[in-house]
Amino acid sequence: MNRRTSVGPCRRRPRARGSDRRHRPSRPGLDVVGVFYNATLANDAHARGPSVLQKNDNEQCNQYEECTTKQNGGFGLDQYVDAGKPVFQTEHKLETSQFCDADNANDCNGVRYAFNPNDKVVETCR
């Protein structure tokens, strides 16, 4: 029986075995559609009164060297810090000794969580 994979807002294609946890673009940083989506979502929410928490656009940014505008060439977590917003940054594969100095210098709240969700590893930089 030939089964087709349904792809929609609530369903995902199965990932190939051994692939990274998420797709990485061929160049660092957010794509234009992602930036437009985030800006539209934030602007629409702000027009109605609530705040917006952006999650996962720069998860593991130290590992992929895309945390700051200087690294990305257009977008970075430093823009949130400069606007007075709190920044929480997560790493899974790097040890805290490999990213905490940079996160602290950039005023980001860095934390390392285990890559495997069954592990209980949580190490904060501050």
Side-chain angles (χ1 to χ4, degrees):
M1 180 170 152
N2 186 4
R3 298 180 75 186
R4 294 178 61 186
T5 303
S6 174
V7 178
C10 297
R11 302 184 118 183
R12 293 183 175 160
R13 285 185 200 273
R15 288 196 170 101
R17 291 181 187 239
S19 67
D20 195 359
R21 191 170 82 98
R22 63 186 187 130
H23 169 73
R24 299 302 308 169
S26 59
R27 60 181 170 72
L30 293 176
D31 60 284
V32 173
V33 174
V35 171
F36 177 78
Y37 173 79
N38 289 337
T40 301
L41 184 66
N43 290 335
D44 287 351
H46 293 153
R48 292 164 178 79
S51 296
V52 174
L53 173 68
Q54 181 178 335
K55 183 180 180 301
N56 285 346
D57 277 345
N58 275 62
E59 188 168 310
Q60 294 174 242
C61 69
N62 285 293
Q63 179 182 343
Y64 296 106
E65 297 179 354
E66 58 186 32
C67 291
T68 65
T69 303
K70 184 176 181 181
Q71 292 171 318
N72 267 334
F75 173 81
L77 298 177
D78 53 318
Q79 294 177 14
Y80 289 96
V81 172
D82 292 345
K85 308 293 183 190
V87 173
F88 301 94
Q89 194 287 120
T90 302
E91 294 291 335
H92 296 286
K93 294 184 178 181
L94 298 179
E95 297 296 324
T96 53
S97 62
Q98 296 174 282
F99 70 90
C100 280
D101 287 344
D103 279 358
N104 290 339
N106 290 322
D107 204 21
C108 294
N109 299 294
V111 64
R112 178 180 176 265
Y113 290 102
F115 192 71
N116 180 346
N118 294 325
D119 290 343
K120 305 284 187 231
V121 176
V122 177
E123 298 172 295
T124 61
C125 293
R126 297 181 183 181

